Amino acid sequence: MSERGRALMGWRTPEGPVSAPDLVQLADLLLSRRGEASGVALARSLVRAYAAAPMAERRAFLLLLAERYGPDAEGVTRAVAALQAQEPGALNVLHAAAEPRRQELFRRINLAPGGTAALVGMREDLLGALPESPALRPVDEDFAHLFGSWFNRGFLTLRQIDWNTPASILEKIIRYEAVHQIQNWDDLRNRLQPTDRRCFAFFHPQLVDEPLIFVEVALTREIPGAVGPLLDLSRQPIPAEEATTAVFYSISNTQRGLAGVSFGNFLIKQVVEVLREALPGIRNFVTLSPAPGFARWLAAERKAGDQGLLSAPLREALTVLDQPLWHQAPETAARAKAALIPAAALYFLKARDRRGRPVDPVARFHLGNGARLERLNPLGDLSENGLRQSHGLMVNYLYAPNEIERNHEGFAEAGTIAASDALRKALPG
């Protein structure tokens, strides 16, 4: 049907470079058609033409979407006048006129085979151009609006990833891992095959072999304070039945074009339920999380002097971090640990961004999901990346099933941070 529709219109996907006006011509044709066959054919042609276009022409096309495919301004004005005159159906007319035409364009592009993936890729292009082209913001908002509906929890399926999962998906797990890089296939096997390891991912029916987000889980006998032992290739696995703790040590989003669409909160909560049912002996559900903004915040606070949150004695104690290889010598490592704990308590419990939120993005994610700040772990990640972004600090967030909703509501409604007594006591007096 699709091929017949293309033939009827006499349209052939252009070969070679594609210009933005050509893409706009296709978009106009797609919006003007009502027949299903011609609509699918045009959507397919537009997807192929966009894929063939150089990046500069793609960005020019996205800017044209911002300029030419917004709401019908004149129609809105007429509809508002009709609404004020209390004409029948005026509200529906206003709604239709106020919706940007590009939203309907995106819905029609989605008719094409692979249309959903193409739109996700289109938004990834847009996000790359957005810092230099703020005029694209309305287009991004339209993408976010539609993706929020198309990728809601009702359309997602949870699948366990193990060593028997098809290699095409395993290769993507290696490529998309964003927290603790997977070095090779042996490293991946160590995270998937042993009895005390699990991995779960969300999939969408229109992106069959593309995990949208995945979480790696370690089953342990205690709450860990460092990631190194969890990733150690020479470690001895334990029987899953002996585990008392499930540790979410890595959560990775895979599709940059779906930025802002929330998957992680649903993923963690569903995995908690799956593990509770399969392994009743597990009592603790915790993360071992990075603190990606801590080192940058700490540097700014030390520079701020008395105008910041750090006291003079604490700033003096933190000078140990200026020593090369401070983490390798037991004496300097111990001094750094003693200084990092109260500084990190201030970072998580007192520091706020311009919108009044906790400054750490990982903290906002887990606290917003209903977790509790449980424990600070200085020297928890001594990798090059861990030292650079957080001076090695890692954090345990606890997901207590009977507290999740209360913690979530407190954080969402009042900004209340759920934290353990031990963590609060770490605040400097």
Side-chain angles (χ1 to χ4, degrees), residues 46 102 145 147 168 236 241 253 258 265 267 277:
L46 180 52
R102 54 185 165 260
H145 171 73
F147 288 167
S168 59
Q236 292 299 315
E241 294 74 19
N253 288 285
L258 294 176
N265 54 345
L267 178 63
E277 183 176 351

Side-chain angles (χ1 to χ4, degrees), residues 362-404:
V362 176
R364 293 198 298 269
F365 172 77
H366 288 296
L367 294 171
N369 288 346
R372 181 175 80 205
L373 270 165
E374 185 68 8
R375 191 174 73 187
L376 303 172
N377 300 299
L379 313 184
D381 182 5
L382 296 181
S383 67
E384 180 180 349
N385 184 57
L387 290 169
R388 181 178 64 253
Q389 69 177 6
S390 65
H391 300 299
L393 179 76
M394 298 197 79
V395 187
N396 296 126
Y397 297 89
L398 177 70
Y399 280 84
N402 61 342
E403 297 178 7
I404 287 176

Side-chain angles (χ1 to χ4, degrees), residues 20-256:
D22 289 334
L23 294 172
V24 168
Q25 180 186 7
L26 271 172
D28 285 339
L29 281 170
L30 180 55
L31 283 173
S32 68
R33 295 287 169 159
R34 291 294 180 265
E36 181 178 351
S38 61
V40 172
L42 275 169
R44 183 176 182 180
S45 295
L46 180 52
V47 165
R48 288 180 172 180
Y50 183 87
M55 183 57 70
E57 295 297 333
R58 295 185 189 184
R59 292 186 173 184
F61 170 67
L62 293 170
L63 283 168
L64 289 172
L65 291 185
E67 296 171 6
R68 302 185 187 181
Y69 290 79
D72 177 1
E74 293 182 0
V76 168
T77 300
R78 291 194 298 271
V80 168
L83 186 64
Q84 292 173 337
Q86 299 184 345
E87 294 181 12
L91 191 59
N92 292 333
V93 175
L94 175 60
H95 179 271
E99 181 183 79
R101 286 204 307 150
R102 54 185 165 260
Q103 287 196 20
E104 179 61 22
L105 176 64
F106 296 154
R107 284 191 286 266
R108 297 193 181 198
I109 291 174
N110 199 43
L111 295 171
T116 304
L119 288 166
V120 172
M122 195 178 292
R123 187 180 184 227
E124 183 173 349
D125 294 341
L126 183 148
L127 291 174
L130 194 56
E132 297 177 0
S133 303
L136 290 173
R137 180 66 63 186
V139 185
D140 182 53
E141 291 172 355
D142 289 332
F143 271 123
H145 171 73
L146 291 175
F147 288 167
S149 299
W150 295 352
F151 290 88
N152 72 53
R153 176 63 190 89
F155 291 112
L156 305 181
T157 58
L158 182 71
R159 289 161 57 182
Q160 183 172 346
I161 307 296
D162 58 30
W163 194 241
N164 295 317
T165 297
S168 59
I169 295 178
L170 295 183
E171 289 173 350
K172 291 169 183 174
I173 297 297
I174 294 176
R175 183 165 72 249
Y176 291 140
E177 164 60 58
V179 184
H180 304 294
Q181 183 179 5
I182 299 174
Q183 302 297 327
N184 49 43
W185 284 95
D186 286 338
D187 190 1
L188 180 65
R189 183 199 300 267
N190 186 51
R191 303 190 193 196
L192 299 181
Q193 191 176 45
T195 58
D196 58 354
R197 292 295 182 266
R198 300 288 188 276
C199 180
F200 297 90
F202 269 148
F203 290 81
H204 189 277
Q206 291 299 318
L207 301 171
V208 179
D209 292 329
E210 282 285 343
L212 303 180
I213 184 173
F214 61 92
V215 59
E216 297 169 64
V217 186
L219 306 179
T220 65
R221 294 189 179 101
E222 59 186 12
I223 297 177
V227 73
L230 299 183
L231 303 178
D232 186 0
L233 294 179
S234 63
R235 67 179 183 79
Q236 292 299 315
I238 66 171
E241 294 74 19
E242 294 182 9
T244 63
T245 302
V247 186
F248 305 102
Y249 66 90
S250 180
I251 303 173
S252 298
N253 288 285
T254 67
Q255 307 296 318
R256 185 166 182 258

